[in-house]
Amino acid sequence: MKLNRKRALVTGGSAGIGYAIAWAYAKEGADVAIHYNASEKSAAELKEKIERECGTRAMCIQADLDSDDAIRNMVASVTQTLGRIDILVCCAGIDQKISVSDMTMEDFDRMIRIDLRSVVLCNKLVLPAMLEQGFGRIINVTSQLGQIGGIDTAHYSAAKAGVIAFTKSLAREVGKRGVNVNCIAPGPVDTRMFASNPPEWIARKLGELPLGRIGQAHEVAPAAVLLAADPDGNLFVGQTLGPNCGDVML
């Protein structure tokens, strides 16, 4: 198994892409901490499924990522329970469709706090132990909109672009010390966030995709396994992988 005896924290692990990544990690032998904010039932069901079918350890941890104290408590609790954090996946986030004209600065600030600041703080908090042990994998799940922008998503796109730039910078800082930091920038994926778009927008997007369909969450998870594994992910440093159905080609 590619992640045998590794210990991972996955934020947003109770739903969508985060759920798929947490499950994929457990199947590869990792102990997994499943972060959630409001989806306690889904997180608990995944924990039970992991323990029953994979035989690895799992835990659920609630935290509001709009709170620095909650993030600190989450990382401390996971470290205490699992013993260490070898892999961090920052997948949690929020979305909002609103034009710049209608967007308030409160809208902007909240988006930056949750989709960018919380990622930075999570990365910062796990780093000391990873650097001390000489091994770590940090995977920040961003979005293709951080690469190309999007209508009515300026604050979201700005936050996701910030995640990509932060990831590159941190990767340069710590790559020689055994910690690899990378991004995954999914395109359209069948999640609640995608389904919240207007039907006409969804139909138009489907027509634009070279693959001819949107992705499924379980199709994104292998990229997270690749980046976390040794030796599979050893040469990926500051990269942004794009499982996006061909919507963005770089």
Side-chain angles (χ1 to χ4, degrees), residues 148-207:
I148 61 172
I151 297 171
D152 293 338
T153 60
H155 54 342
Y156 176 82
S157 300
K160 295 303 185 180
V163 169
I164 295 172
F166 171 78
T167 297
K168 291 178 180 179
S169 297
L170 182 58
R172 291 184 181 278
E173 287 185 20
V174 300
K176 292 180 180 179
R177 301 173 67 185
V179 180
N180 287 14
V181 191
N182 292 284
C183 277
I184 299 174
V189 176
D190 187 12
T191 63
R192 285 178 294 181
M193 188 176 291
F194 181 81
S196 68
N197 288 292
E200 60 273 14
W201 184 92
I202 293 175
R204 184 174 68 251
K205 176 54 66 177
L206 286 172

Short mmCIF file of all heavy atoms in Angstrom, two decimals, residues 148-207:
data_model
loop_
_atom_site.label_atom_id
_atom_site.label_comp_id
_atom_site.label_asym_id
_atom_site.label_seq_id
_atom_site.Cartn_x
_atom_site.Cartn_y
_atom_site.Cartn_z
N ILE A 148 -7.42 30.86 -14.20
CA ILE A 148 -8.01 31.57 -15.34
C ILE A 148 -9.05 32.62 -14.94
O ILE A 148 -9.47 33.42 -15.77
CB ILE A 148 -8.67 30.58 -16.32
CG1 ILE A 148 -9.82 29.81 -15.64
CG2 ILE A 148 -7.64 29.63 -16.90
CD1 ILE A 148 -10.64 28.94 -16.58
N GLY A 149 -9.47 32.64 -13.67
CA GLY A 149 -10.52 33.56 -13.26
C GLY A 149 -11.89 33.07 -13.70
O GLY A 149 -12.02 32.10 -14.46
N GLY A 150 -12.92 33.73 -13.19
CA GLY A 150 -14.27 33.34 -13.55
C GLY A 150 -15.26 34.46 -13.30
O GLY A 150 -15.08 35.29 -12.40
N ILE A 151 -16.29 34.51 -14.11
CA ILE A 151 -17.32 35.54 -13.96
C ILE A 151 -18.07 35.33 -12.66
O ILE A 151 -18.44 34.21 -12.30
CB ILE A 151 -18.30 35.49 -15.16
CG1 ILE A 151 -17.55 35.82 -16.45
CG2 ILE A 151 -19.47 36.45 -14.95
CD1 ILE A 151 -18.37 35.58 -17.70
N ASP A 152 -18.28 36.41 -11.93
CA ASP A 152 -19.00 36.41 -10.65
C ASP A 152 -18.30 35.59 -9.58
O ASP A 152 -18.93 35.17 -8.59
CB ASP A 152 -20.44 35.90 -10.83
CG ASP A 152 -21.30 36.85 -11.66
OD1 ASP A 152 -20.95 38.04 -11.74
OD2 ASP A 152 -22.31 36.39 -12.22
N THR A 153 -17.01 35.37 -9.74
CA THR A 153 -16.24 34.64 -8.73
C THR A 153 -14.88 35.31 -8.48
O THR A 153 -13.90 34.63 -8.20
CB THR A 153 -16.00 33.18 -9.16
OG1 THR A 153 -15.27 33.17 -10.39
CG2 THR A 153 -17.30 32.42 -9.32
N ALA A 154 -14.84 36.63 -8.56
CA ALA A 154 -13.55 37.32 -8.46
C ALA A 154 -12.88 37.07 -7.12
O ALA A 154 -11.66 36.84 -7.06
CB ALA A 154 -13.74 38.82 -8.69
N HIS A 155 -13.65 37.13 -6.02
CA HIS A 155 -13.04 36.92 -4.70
C HIS A 155 -12.63 35.47 -4.51
O HIS A 155 -11.57 35.17 -3.94
CB HIS A 155 -13.96 37.40 -3.59
CG HIS A 155 -15.35 36.83 -3.59
ND1 HIS A 155 -15.94 36.21 -4.67
CD2 HIS A 155 -16.29 36.79 -2.59
CE1 HIS A 155 -17.16 35.82 -4.35
NE2 HIS A 155 -17.39 36.15 -3.09
N TYR A 156 -13.44 34.54 -5.00
CA TYR A 156 -13.10 33.12 -4.94
C TYR A 156 -11.85 32.84 -5.77
O TYR A 156 -10.91 32.16 -5.31
CB TYR A 156 -14.28 32.30 -5.46
CG TYR A 156 -14.06 30.81 -5.54
CD1 TYR A 156 -14.19 30.01 -4.41
CD2 TYR A 156 -13.74 30.21 -6.75
CE1 TYR A 156 -13.99 28.63 -4.49
CE2 TYR A 156 -13.55 28.83 -6.83
CZ TYR A 156 -13.68 28.05 -5.71
OH TYR A 156 -13.48 26.69 -5.79
N SER A 157 -11.82 33.36 -6.99
CA SER A 157 -10.67 33.15 -7.87
C SER A 157 -9.41 33.75 -7.27
O SER A 157 -8.32 33.16 -7.37
CB SER A 157 -10.95 33.75 -9.25
OG SER A 157 -12.08 33.15 -9.85
N ALA A 158 -9.54 34.93 -6.65
CA ALA A 158 -8.38 35.57 -6.02
C ALA A 158 -7.84 34.72 -4.88
O ALA A 158 -6.62 34.56 -4.73
CB ALA A 158 -8.77 36.95 -5.51
N ALA A 159 -8.73 34.16 -4.08
CA ALA A 159 -8.30 33.30 -2.97
C ALA A 159 -7.59 32.07 -3.50
O ALA A 159 -6.54 31.66 -2.98
CB ALA A 159 -9.50 32.91 -2.11
N LYS A 160 -8.14 31.46 -4.55
CA LYS A 160 -7.56 30.23 -5.09
C LYS A 160 -6.22 30.52 -5.78
O LYS A 160 -5.30 29.69 -5.74
CB LYS A 160 -8.53 29.56 -6.05
CG LYS A 160 -9.81 29.07 -5.39
CD LYS A 160 -9.54 28.10 -4.26
CE LYS A 160 -10.81 27.51 -3.68
NZ LYS A 160 -10.53 26.56 -2.57
N ALA A 161 -6.11 31.66 -6.43
CA ALA A 161 -4.83 32.06 -7.01
C ALA A 161 -3.80 32.28 -5.91
O ALA A 161 -2.62 31.93 -6.07
CB ALA A 161 -4.99 33.32 -7.85
N GLY A 162 -4.25 32.84 -4.80
CA GLY A 162 -3.37 33.03 -3.66
C GLY A 162 -2.85 31.71 -3.11
O GLY A 162 -1.69 31.60 -2.71
N VAL A 163 -3.70 30.71 -3.10
CA VAL A 163 -3.28 29.37 -2.64
C VAL A 163 -2.17 28.83 -3.54
O VAL A 163 -1.18 28.27 -3.06
CB VAL A 163 -4.47 28.40 -2.60
CG1 VAL A 163 -4.00 26.96 -2.40
CG2 VAL A 163 -5.45 28.80 -1.50
N ILE A 164 -2.32 29.00 -4.85
CA ILE A 164 -1.30 28.52 -5.78
C ILE A 164 0.03 29.24 -5.56
O ILE A 164 1.09 28.60 -5.48
CB ILE A 164 -1.77 28.69 -7.24
CG1 ILE A 164 -2.98 27.79 -7.52
CG2 ILE A 164 -0.64 28.37 -8.22
CD1 ILE A 164 -3.65 28.03 -8.86
N ALA A 165 0.00 30.55 -5.43
CA ALA A 165 1.23 31.32 -5.24
C ALA A 165 1.88 31.00 -3.89
O ALA A 165 3.11 30.86 -3.79
CB ALA A 165 0.93 32.81 -5.34
N PHE A 166 1.05 30.86 -2.85
CA PHE A 166 1.58 30.50 -1.53
C PHE A 166 2.24 29.13 -1.58
O PHE A 166 3.33 28.91 -1.03
CB PHE A 166 0.44 30.50 -0.51
CG PHE A 166 0.85 29.94 0.83
CD1 PHE A 166 1.59 30.69 1.73
CD2 PHE A 166 0.50 28.64 1.18
CE1 PHE A 166 1.98 30.15 2.95
CE2 PHE A 166 0.87 28.09 2.39
CZ PHE A 166 1.63 28.85 3.29
N THR A 167 1.60 28.18 -2.26
CA THR A 167 2.13 26.83 -2.37
C THR A 167 3.49 26.83 -3.05
O THR A 167 4.43 26.15 -2.60
CB THR A 167 1.14 25.93 -3.13
OG1 THR A 167 -0.08 25.84 -2.39
CG2 THR A 167 1.70 24.55 -3.36
N LYS A 168 3.61 27.56 -4.14
CA LYS A 168 4.90 27.63 -4.83
C LYS A 168 5.98 28.21 -3.93
O LYS A 168 7.11 27.70 -3.89
CB LYS A 168 4.76 28.49 -6.10
CG LYS A 168 3.92 27.87 -7.20
CD LYS A 168 3.82 28.82 -8.38
CE LYS A 168 2.98 28.22 -9.50
NZ LYS A 168 2.85 29.15 -10.65
N SER A 169 5.64 29.26 -3.21
CA SER A 169 6.63 29.90 -2.34
C SER A 169 7.05 28.99 -1.21
O SER A 169 8.25 28.85 -0.91
CB SER A 169 6.05 31.21 -1.78
OG SER A 169 5.78 32.13 -2.82
N LEU A 170 6.09 28.35 -0.57
CA LEU A 170 6.41 27.44 0.53
C LEU A 170 7.22 26.25 0.02
O LEU A 170 8.16 25.79 0.69
CB LEU A 170 5.13 26.96 1.22
CG LEU A 170 5.33 26.04 2.42
CD1 LEU A 170 6.19 26.71 3.50
CD2 LEU A 170 3.99 25.62 3.01
N ALA A 171 6.88 25.75 -1.15
CA ALA A 171 7.63 24.63 -1.72
C ALA A 171 9.10 24.99 -1.90
O ALA A 171 9.99 24.15 -1.68
CB ALA A 171 7.01 24.22 -3.06
N ARG A 172 9.37 26.21 -2.31
CA ARG A 172 10.76 26.64 -2.46
C ARG A 172 11.47 26.74 -1.11
O ARG A 172 12.67 26.50 -1.01
CB ARG A 172 10.82 27.98 -3.19
CG ARG A 172 10.40 27.90 -4.66
CD ARG A 172 10.57 29.23 -5.37
NE ARG A 172 10.14 29.14 -6.76
CZ ARG A 172 10.87 28.67 -7.76
NH1 ARG A 172 12.10 28.22 -7.52
NH2 ARG A 172 10.39 28.63 -8.99
N GLU A 173 10.73 27.11 -0.08
CA GLU A 173 11.32 27.25 1.25
C GLU A 173 11.71 25.91 1.87
O GLU A 173 12.75 25.80 2.53
CB GLU A 173 10.34 27.96 2.20
CG GLU A 173 10.16 29.43 1.95
CD GLU A 173 9.27 30.07 3.01
OE1 GLU A 173 9.12 29.50 4.10
OE2 GLU A 173 8.71 31.15 2.73
N VAL A 174 10.88 24.90 1.68
CA VAL A 174 11.04 23.68 2.49
C VAL A 174 11.36 22.43 1.68
O VAL A 174 11.55 21.36 2.26
CB VAL A 174 9.78 23.43 3.35
CG1 VAL A 174 9.53 24.59 4.28
CG2 VAL A 174 8.55 23.16 2.47
N GLY A 175 11.43 22.53 0.36
CA GLY A 175 11.66 21.35 -0.46
C GLY A 175 12.95 20.61 -0.12
O GLY A 175 12.98 19.37 -0.13
N LYS A 176 14.02 21.32 0.22
CA LYS A 176 15.29 20.69 0.53
C LYS A 176 15.30 20.05 1.92
O LYS A 176 16.28 19.38 2.28
CB LYS A 176 16.43 21.70 0.42
CG LYS A 176 16.70 22.17 -1.00
CD LYS A 176 17.83 23.16 -1.05
CE LYS A 176 18.09 23.63 -2.49
NZ LYS A 176 19.18 24.63 -2.57
N ARG A 177 14.22 20.25 2.67
CA ARG A 177 14.17 19.73 4.04
C ARG A 177 13.17 18.59 4.18
O ARG A 177 12.76 18.24 5.27
CB ARG A 177 13.84 20.87 5.01
CG ARG A 177 14.87 22.00 4.94
CD ARG A 177 14.47 23.20 5.76
NE ARG A 177 14.47 22.90 7.18
CZ ARG A 177 14.07 23.76 8.13
NH1 ARG A 177 13.63 24.97 7.76
NH2 ARG A 177 14.10 23.43 9.39
N GLY A 178 12.79 17.99 3.05
CA GLY A 178 11.98 16.79 3.09
C GLY A 178 10.49 16.98 3.02
O GLY A 178 9.74 16.01 3.10
N VAL A 179 10.04 18.22 2.86
CA VAL A 179 8.60 18.49 2.80
C VAL A 179 8.25 18.97 1.40
O VAL A 179 8.74 20.01 0.95
CB VAL A 179 8.18 19.55 3.85
CG1 VAL A 179 6.68 19.81 3.75
CG2 VAL A 179 8.56 19.08 5.25
N ASN A 180 7.41 18.22 0.72
CA ASN A 180 6.95 18.58 -0.62
C ASN A 180 5.56 19.23 -0.52
O ASN A 180 4.66 18.69 0.11
CB ASN A 180 6.86 17.36 -1.52
CG ASN A 180 8.22 16.84 -1.95
OD1 ASN A 180 9.24 17.23 -1.38
ND2 ASN A 180 8.24 15.97 -2.93
N VAL A 181 5.43 20.36 -1.16
CA VAL A 181 4.18 21.13 -1.12
C VAL A 181 3.69 21.31 -2.54
O VAL A 181 4.42 21.80 -3.40
CB VAL A 181 4.39 22.50 -0.44
CG1 VAL A 181 3.04 23.17 -0.16
CG2 VAL A 181 5.20 22.36 0.85
N ASN A 182 2.43 20.92 -2.79
CA ASN A 182 1.87 20.99 -4.14
C ASN A 182 0.39 21.34 -4.09
O ASN A 182 -0.23 21.36 -3.01
CB ASN A 182 2.04 19.64 -4.85
CG ASN A 182 3.48 19.31 -5.16
OD1 ASN A 182 4.07 19.85 -6.09
ND2 ASN A 182 4.06 18.40 -4.38
N CYS A 183 -0.17 21.60 -5.25
CA CYS A 183 -1.59 21.93 -5.40
C CYS A 183 -2.28 20.93 -6.32
O CYS A 183 -1.67 20.33 -7.20
CB CYS A 183 -1.77 23.31 -6.04
SG CYS A 183 -1.65 24.71 -4.94
N ILE A 184 -3.57 20.81 -6.12
CA ILE A 184 -4.46 20.19 -7.09
C ILE A 184 -5.52 21.22 -7.44
O ILE A 184 -6.14 21.80 -6.55
CB ILE A 184 -5.13 18.92 -6.53
CG1 ILE A 184 -4.08 17.87 -6.17
CG2 ILE A 184 -6.12 18.35 -7.53
CD1 ILE A 184 -4.65 16.66 -5.46
N ALA A 185 -5.71 21.46 -8.73
CA ALA A 185 -6.67 22.45 -9.20
C ALA A 185 -7.74 21.76 -10.04
O ALA A 185 -7.65 21.72 -11.27
CB ALA A 185 -5.98 23.54 -10.01
N PRO A 186 -8.77 21.20 -9.39
CA PRO A 186 -9.81 20.51 -10.15
C PRO A 186 -10.60 21.46 -11.05
O PRO A 186 -10.71 22.66 -10.78
CB PRO A 186 -10.72 19.92 -9.07
CG PRO A 186 -9.91 19.96 -7.81
CD PRO A 186 -9.02 21.15 -7.96
N GLY A 187 -11.15 20.88 -12.09
CA GLY A 187 -12.12 21.59 -12.91
C GLY A 187 -13.51 21.22 -12.46
O GLY A 187 -13.73 20.92 -11.28
N PRO A 188 -14.49 21.21 -13.37
CA PRO A 188 -15.86 20.87 -12.99
C PRO A 188 -15.96 19.44 -12.47
O PRO A 188 -15.59 18.49 -13.15
CB PRO A 188 -16.64 21.03 -14.30
CG PRO A 188 -15.79 21.91 -15.15
CD PRO A 188 -14.38 21.59 -14.79
N VAL A 189 -16.43 19.29 -11.23
CA VAL A 189 -16.58 18.00 -10.59
C VAL A 189 -17.99 17.89 -10.03
O VAL A 189 -18.55 18.88 -9.53
CB VAL A 189 -15.53 17.81 -9.48
CG1 VAL A 189 -15.75 16.49 -8.72
CG2 VAL A 189 -14.12 17.85 -10.05
N ASP A 190 -18.55 16.71 -10.08
CA ASP A 190 -19.92 16.48 -9.64
C ASP A 190 -20.01 16.54 -8.11
O ASP A 190 -19.95 15.51 -7.43
CB ASP A 190 -20.40 15.12 -10.15
CG ASP A 190 -21.89 14.90 -9.88
OD1 ASP A 190 -22.58 15.86 -9.51
OD2 ASP A 190 -22.34 13.74 -10.02
N THR A 191 -20.11 17.75 -7.59
CA THR A 191 -20.26 17.98 -6.16
C THR A 191 -21.44 18.93 -5.94
O THR A 191 -22.00 19.49 -6.89
CB THR A 191 -19.00 18.62 -5.56
OG1 THR A 191 -18.80 19.91 -6.17
CG2 THR A 191 -17.78 17.75 -5.81
N ARG A 192 -21.78 19.13 -4.68
CA ARG A 192 -22.87 20.06 -4.36
C ARG A 192 -22.54 21.47 -4.84
O ARG A 192 -23.42 22.21 -5.28
CB ARG A 192 -23.14 20.06 -2.86
CG ARG A 192 -23.88 18.84 -2.36
CD ARG A 192 -24.08 18.87 -0.87
NE ARG A 192 -22.81 18.77 -0.15
CZ ARG A 192 -22.69 18.75 1.17
NH1 ARG A 192 -23.76 18.86 1.94
NH2 ARG A 192 -21.50 18.64 1.74
N MET A 193 -21.26 21.83 -4.78
CA MET A 193 -20.86 23.16 -5.23
C MET A 193 -21.13 23.34 -6.72
O MET A 193 -21.66 24.36 -7.16
CB MET A 193 -19.38 23.39 -4.91
CG MET A 193 -18.91 24.81 -5.15
SD MET A 193 -17.17 25.06 -4.66
CE MET A 193 -17.30 24.93 -2.88
N PHE A 194 -20.79 22.34 -7.52
CA PHE A 194 -21.04 22.43 -8.97
C PHE A 194 -22.53 22.42 -9.26
O PHE A 194 -23.02 23.19 -10.10
CB PHE A 194 -20.36 21.25 -9.69
CG PHE A 194 -20.56 21.28 -11.18
CD1 PHE A 194 -19.78 22.09 -11.98
CD2 PHE A 194 -21.54 20.50 -11.79
CE1 PHE A 194 -19.95 22.11 -13.36
CE2 PHE A 194 -21.73 20.51 -13.16
CZ PHE A 194 -20.93 21.34 -13.95
N ALA A 195 -23.27 21.58 -8.55
CA ALA A 195 -24.71 21.46 -8.79
C ALA A 195 -25.47 22.72 -8.43
O ALA A 195 -26.61 22.91 -8.88
CB ALA A 195 -25.27 20.28 -8.01
N SER A 196 -24.86 23.60 -7.65
CA SER A 196 -25.54 24.84 -7.24
C SER A 196 -25.57 25.88 -8.36
O SER A 196 -26.25 26.91 -8.24
CB SER A 196 -24.85 25.44 -6.01
OG SER A 196 -23.54 25.90 -6.33
N ASN A 197 -24.85 25.63 -9.44
CA ASN A 197 -24.85 26.56 -10.57
C ASN A 197 -26.18 26.49 -11.32
O ASN A 197 -26.86 25.46 -11.30
CB ASN A 197 -23.71 26.22 -11.53
CG ASN A 197 -22.35 26.58 -10.99
OD1 ASN A 197 -22.03 27.74 -10.82
ND2 ASN A 197 -21.55 25.56 -10.69
N PRO A 198 -26.57 27.57 -12.01
CA PRO A 198 -27.81 27.55 -12.80
C PRO A 198 -27.76 26.48 -13.89
O PRO A 198 -26.69 26.21 -14.45
CB PRO A 198 -27.85 28.96 -13.41
CG PRO A 198 -26.97 29.79 -12.55
CD PRO A 198 -25.90 28.88 -12.03
N PRO A 199 -28.88 25.85 -14.19
CA PRO A 199 -28.92 24.77 -15.19
C PRO A 199 -28.34 25.19 -16.54
O PRO A 199 -27.66 24.40 -17.20
CB PRO A 199 -30.40 24.44 -15.30
CG PRO A 199 -30.98 24.85 -13.98
CD PRO A 199 -30.20 26.05 -13.55
N GLU A 200 -28.60 26.43 -16.95
CA GLU A 200 -28.10 26.87 -18.25
C GLU A 200 -26.57 26.98 -18.25
O GLU A 200 -25.90 26.71 -19.24
CB GLU A 200 -28.74 28.20 -18.67
CG GLU A 200 -28.49 29.36 -17.73
CD GLU A 200 -29.50 29.45 -16.58
OE1 GLU A 200 -30.23 28.47 -16.36
OE2 GLU A 200 -29.53 30.52 -15.93
N TRP A 201 -26.02 27.37 -17.10
CA TRP A 201 -24.56 27.45 -16.98
C TRP A 201 -23.95 26.05 -17.04
O TRP A 201 -22.94 25.84 -17.71
CB TRP A 201 -24.18 28.13 -15.66
CG TRP A 201 -22.70 28.33 -15.50
CD1 TRP A 201 -21.97 29.43 -15.83
CD2 TRP A 201 -21.75 27.38 -14.97
NE1 TRP A 201 -20.63 29.23 -15.54
CE2 TRP A 201 -20.47 27.98 -15.01
CE3 TRP A 201 -21.86 26.09 -14.47
CZ2 TRP A 201 -19.32 27.35 -14.56
CZ3 TRP A 201 -20.70 25.44 -14.03
CH2 TRP A 201 -19.46 26.06 -14.07
N ILE A 202 -24.58 25.11 -16.35
CA ILE A 202 -24.09 23.73 -16.35
C ILE A 202 -24.12 23.15 -17.77
O ILE A 202 -23.16 22.51 -18.22
CB ILE A 202 -24.91 22.85 -15.38
CG1 ILE A 202 -24.66 23.30 -13.93
CG2 ILE A 202 -24.57 21.38 -15.56
CD1 ILE A 202 -25.51 22.59 -12.91
N ALA A 203 -25.22 23.39 -18.49
CA ALA A 203 -25.33 22.88 -19.86
C ALA A 203 -24.26 23.48 -20.75
O ALA A 203 -23.65 22.78 -21.59
CB ALA A 203 -26.72 23.19 -20.41
N ARG A 204 -24.01 24.78 -20.61
CA ARG A 204 -22.98 25.43 -21.42
C ARG A 204 -21.60 24.87 -21.11
O ARG A 204 -20.79 24.61 -22.01
CB ARG A 204 -23.01 26.94 -21.20
CG ARG A 204 -22.03 27.71 -22.08
CD ARG A 204 -22.19 29.20 -21.94
NE ARG A 204 -21.79 29.67 -20.63
CZ ARG A 204 -22.63 30.11 -19.68
NH1 ARG A 204 -23.94 30.13 -19.92
NH2 ARG A 204 -22.19 30.54 -18.53
N LYS A 205 -21.32 24.68 -19.82
CA LYS A 205 -20.01 24.17 -19.41
C LYS A 205 -19.78 22.76 -19.95
O LYS A 205 -18.69 22.44 -20.43
CB LYS A 205 -19.90 24.18 -17.89
CG LYS A 205 -18.61 23.57 -17.34
CD LYS A 205 -17.36 24.21 -17.93
CE LYS A 205 -17.21 25.66 -17.54
NZ LYS A 205 -15.94 26.24 -18.09
N LEU A 206 -20.79 21.92 -19.92
CA LEU A 206 -20.66 20.57 -20.43
C LEU A 206 -20.30 20.58 -21.92
O LEU A 206 -19.52 19.76 -22.40
CB LEU A 206 -21.96 19.78 -20.21
CG LEU A 206 -22.24 19.33 -18.78
CD1 LEU A 206 -23.64 18.76 -18.66
CD2 LEU A 206 -21.21 18.30 -18.33
N GLY A 207 -20.89 21.54 -22.65
CA GLY A 207 -20.60 21.64 -24.07
C GLY A 207 -19.19 22.12 -24.37
O GLY A 207 -18.68 21.89 -25.46
#
